[in-house]
Amino acid sequence: MNTGNRTLNADILDSLFNIYLPDVGDVVSRRKITELCLVSKEWRDAAILNSRLWSRLKLEIRTKSQPFSSKKALAWIERSGGYPKTVEVAILCCGKESDDRCPSDSCSASNLGLVEFMLHVPSLHHLSIEFKSAQCFKNLCASMKHQSELASLSPARSLDSPLFPVTTLALKIVQFSIEDHKSAARDGFMFDTLPPVSNLRLELPTSKDLGHTRNRQETAIVPSKLFSPRILQSLTRLSLRSDLFLDQIAQLLEGCSNIEDLSLSYFLQTCFGQPYRQSTDKEIKLPKVRVLRLKHIAEETMDVLGILRVHDISRFELSCGKISSRTENPEVLRPTLLKTFIQSQASTLRSLRIHNLTIDEPVLQAVLPASLQALEHLVLDRVGFKVDVFQHWIDTPPTEEEGGKWFPNLKTLELHDLDTDYNMGTLFSFLRARRPYRVESGQDGQDVTFLGPPDSIKRLVLTFRLPSLKWGERQAHSEEVMEAVRILERGGVVVELGSKYLKR
């Protein structure tokens, strides 16, 4: 791109392309990248040198006979060079009844172009595959082995072999067919082997997904039959998205003794519109877990905190209710269970994120007790305040036995999705109480004298909720707020203050 007699620097074009295409890989973004390359030689050269633009591919295979050029797909992703590569494949098997068998001679996973691509794809950082059923996964593996033999590839490559080059794997199974269960009964497990990954993201069919099948009872999930023990024992990071009952989750996690990072995205099973009450006598013992994320937690599913046997958690994230709803701020009505869990991890907990939760007095004492002396990073995201937490901390300092100070090692405080009329006065008062200061008039304006050593808090982040329909008019922060920000910055605190918008 020419500006006068000069050409924009390739680094500038690179930044512009990244802003224009923050997400890449699907058909639309691939078309836009091609359009950028057609603008001029300089733009084409800059786009080709931008490895990120070529590092992601999203593919959708609907039928076995669907035309798909593996050579073009390989040429595209190989342009990313050494940049971490991601491939997402949706194998849809269109035109079949939901609970029909999926033989290899008609399965979309046996698409020749897809098989050729998977045989020659370079080393991947992440591979995500959506299957109609577990049988589709086996069809893809069998087709890759067959094609390897025809091409005399040595050693042969398959998705279920230790030679497949991938670091993290995501599997989404739309449903489990009767054939899947027969295969598990015959072979022992639905998935006997996977690529040698330690990081697995697993999305299982929910009761809603299975509701339309003719043989729902016969196709129900049997967690103990999903994966062989060697697969589970090799995992150090697992993300599970399902609506399994707690005893079923316990069965699945029973073999995951080496898990260090666990994420559970949990959905309620319902009966006639009413949620099932979750309960189990089983315990989930995961002695190596250090990072725990619980998502979509509601009152009926909080029992998971009672059966988890974890020690020395350093990072805990709790997200409540429906993530899709901006107006919902569900209340967790069983704070005793939450309090017991938080306090049991207080000595090692360094990072805590609370999302989509209404904080009243009992929940405040449960989620944020004075005993969190090791806490370094606190995030309150889309939190509804029924009590002013900062005024509470000012009025009730911890006892000497509790450390004498709220969160003495806190380094980063983040408040996200605040209402535009949120009063930040008590927040700044709380921060001032941690490091008192005196403001005096001087020749060059106001002089600030700090009366104590630097506070442990070095970073403060505040963002505000955008209007649901349009951004509207930007609202300036008050002079009192800006003055408080300037004083904090003089004291060595990095403040990131988001913009506020009003509805038009």
Side-chain angles (χ1 to χ4, degrees):
M1 178 177 181
N2 294 326
T3 56
N5 295 324
R6 304 184 65 185
T7 301
L8 279 180
N9 185 284
D11 292 336
I12 296 177
L13 285 175
D14 188 68
S15 299
L16 292 175
F17 294 163
N18 289 337
I19 295 173
Y20 177 59
L21 290 169
D23 189 25
V24 294
D26 58 10
V27 174
V28 175
S29 63
R30 293 202 298 270
R31 187 181 299 118
K32 289 182 178 180
I33 293 173
T34 303
E35 292 172 353
L36 291 177
C37 292
L38 296 175
V39 171
S40 68
K41 181 180 182 301
E42 289 80 9
W43 280 46
R44 180 182 182 276
D45 292 343
I48 290 177
L49 290 175
N50 188 326
S51 299
R52 188 193 69 87
L53 296 180
W54 315 92
S55 65
R56 191 183 190 103
L57 266 179
K58 297 180 181 179
L59 309 175
E60 189 174 282
I61 307 298
R62 293 181 171 271
T63 64
K64 180 179 179 179
S65 59
Q66 175 182 326
F68 174 69
S69 174
S70 60
K71 292 183 179 179
K72 290 182 179 179
L74 289 170
W76 182 283
I77 201 165
E78 285 172 352
R79 285 178 178 168
S80 62
Y83 197 92
K85 301 170 180 60
T86 295
V87 172
E88 300 177 24
V89 185
I91 299 175
L92 303 180
C93 290
C94 294
K96 299 178 180 292
E97 291 295 328
S98 59
D99 51 354
D100 279 348
R101 293 177 66 252
C102 200
S104 59
D105 58 359
S106 61
C107 180
S108 302
S110 301
N111 181 286
L112 182 59
L114 174 64
V115 172
E116 289 285 350
F117 174 76
M118 297 298 287
L119 282 177
H120 299 95
V121 70
S123 296
L124 300 176
H125 171 69
H126 180 66
L127 173 63
S128 174
I129 307 185
E130 176 183 341
F131 294 103
K132 173 199 164 188
S133 68
Q135 185 61 41
C136 298
F137 175 84
K138 295 182 178 180
N139 290 339
L140 176 57
C141 295
S143 298
M144 291 178 66
K145 292 173 183 175
H146 177 68
Q147 199 62 27
S148 290
E149 294 175 359
L150 293 179
S152 300
L153 295 180
S154 182
R157 178 195 280 193
S158 174
L159 190 57
D160 61 353
S161 76
L163 300 176
F164 193 84
V166 62
T167 303
T168 68
L169 178 66
L171 295 178
K172 178 180 178 180
I173 301 99
V174 176
Q175 69 170 62
F176 290 112
S177 65
I178 297 176
E179 185 63 26
D180 291 335
H181 287 275
K182 290 180 179 178
S183 176
R186 181 176 61 251
D187 303 330
F189 303 96
M190 291 185 183
F191 296 92
D192 188 57
T193 55
L194 288 177
V197 296
S198 59
N199 185 339
L200 176 64
R201 303 177 197 173
L202 180 63
E203 183 171 348
L204 299 176
T206 65
S207 56
K208 181 179 179 181
D209 298 327
L210 298 175
H212 62 277
T213 62
R214 293 195 298 265
N215 301 285
R216 181 172 177 178
Q217 295 299 324
E218 296 182 55
T219 58
I221 301 172
V222 182
S224 60
K225 292 288 186 179
L226 279 177
F227 299 103
S228 64
R230 64 174 174 269
I231 292 177
L232 298 178
Q233 290 170 6
S234 66
L235 298 178
T236 60
R237 186 171 184 176
L238 175 64
S239 176
L240 175 63
R241 183 183 175 97
S242 76
D243 67 350
L244 293 175
F245 289 117
L246 292 181
D247 57 345
Q248 293 176 307
I249 291 179
Q251 291 178 35
L252 179 59
L253 297 180
E254 192 173 9
C256 300
S257 57
N258 293 312
I259 290 289
E260 300 173 3
D261 187 323
L262 176 63
S263 297
L264 296 177
S265 296
Y266 206 66
F267 298 93
L268 280 176
Q269 291 197 27
T270 58
C271 180
F272 301 107
Q274 297 299 318
Y276 283 112
R277 191 64 170 178
Q278 304 286 312
S279 62
T280 180
D281 295 331
K282 293 186 177 181
E283 294 183 348
I284 303 177
K285 297 181 180 180
L286 300 171
K288 295 186 179 181
V289 167
R290 298 294 177 266
V291 179
L292 179 62
R293 302 177 183 89
L294 302 179
K295 303 176 182 179
H296 311 301
I297 295 297
E299 179 190 1
E300 293 80 10
T301 55
M302 283 199 68
D303 280 324
V304 69
L305 291 174
I307 66 173
L308 277 174
R309 296 295 177 263
V310 292
H311 310 283
D312 302 330
I313 294 292
S314 62
R315 180 176 179 181
F316 179 52
E317 298 183 9
L318 177 68
S319 180
C320 300
K322 298 178 181 179
I323 196 169
S324 60
S325 174
R326 275 195 163 271
T327 58
E328 266 192 35
N329 258 327
E331 298 181 29
V332 175
L333 302 178
R334 301 168 66 199
T336 303
L337 193 58
L338 188 56
K339 181 178 182 179
T340 301
F341 180 83
I342 292 286
Q343 290 188 338
S344 69
Q345 311 298 327
S347 61
T348 58
L349 189 61
R350 287 174 170 77
S351 178
L352 176 62
R353 178 178 181 265
I354 305 298
H355 173 259
N356 207 37
L357 176 68
T358 296
I359 291 184
D360 56 15
E361 190 74 28
V363 172
L364 171 61
Q365 295 177 3
V367 178
L368 297 168
S371 57
L372 297 180
Q373 297 184 40
L375 192 66
E376 297 179 356
H377 191 173
L378 175 60
V379 181
L380 301 179
D381 185 359
R382 197 187 294 179
V383 165
F385 295 100
K386 283 192 172 181
V387 59
D388 192 327
V389 296
F390 299 105
Q391 190 63 52
H392 171 79
W393 291 335
I394 293 172
D395 296 339
T396 57
T399 63
E400 291 298 326
E401 294 180 353
E402 295 172 325
K405 183 179 182 180
W406 286 96
F407 320 127
N409 294 297
L410 188 64
K411 297 178 181 178
T412 300
L413 175 61
E414 300 185 38
L415 304 178
H416 293 291
D417 211 34
L418 296 168
D419 290 328
T420 53
D421 58 353
Y422 177 75
N423 184 2
M424 292 180 281
T426 52
L427 165 63
F428 292 124
S429 297
F430 169 72
L431 295 174
R432 183 171 184 172
R434 293 177 65 94
R435 191 187 186 190
Y437 57 84
R438 182 175 61 249
V439 179
E440 299 174 337
S441 298
Q443 294 181 350
D444 300 324
Q446 292 184 327
D447 293 331
V448 179
T449 303
F450 291 95
L451 306 179
D455 187 21
S456 63
I457 295 179
K458 300 300 180 185
R459 181 168 174 256
L460 175 65
V461 182
L462 303 171
T463 64
F464 297 85
R465 181 173 303 181
L466 293 174
S468 57
L469 298 178
K470 295 182 180 180
W471 281 21
E473 181 182 353
R474 181 171 174 173
Q475 179 187 23
H477 292 284
S478 67
E479 182 55 36
E480 291 81 3
V481 168
M482 298 310 299
E483 179 62 22
V485 169
R486 285 191 288 268
I487 293 174
L488 288 172
E489 290 176 336
R490 289 183 192 180
V493 180
V494 176
V495 181
E496 301 175 27
L497 186 62
S499 299
K500 296 197 295 184
Y501 293 89
L502 299 177
K503 292 183 180 179
R504 282 177 178 155

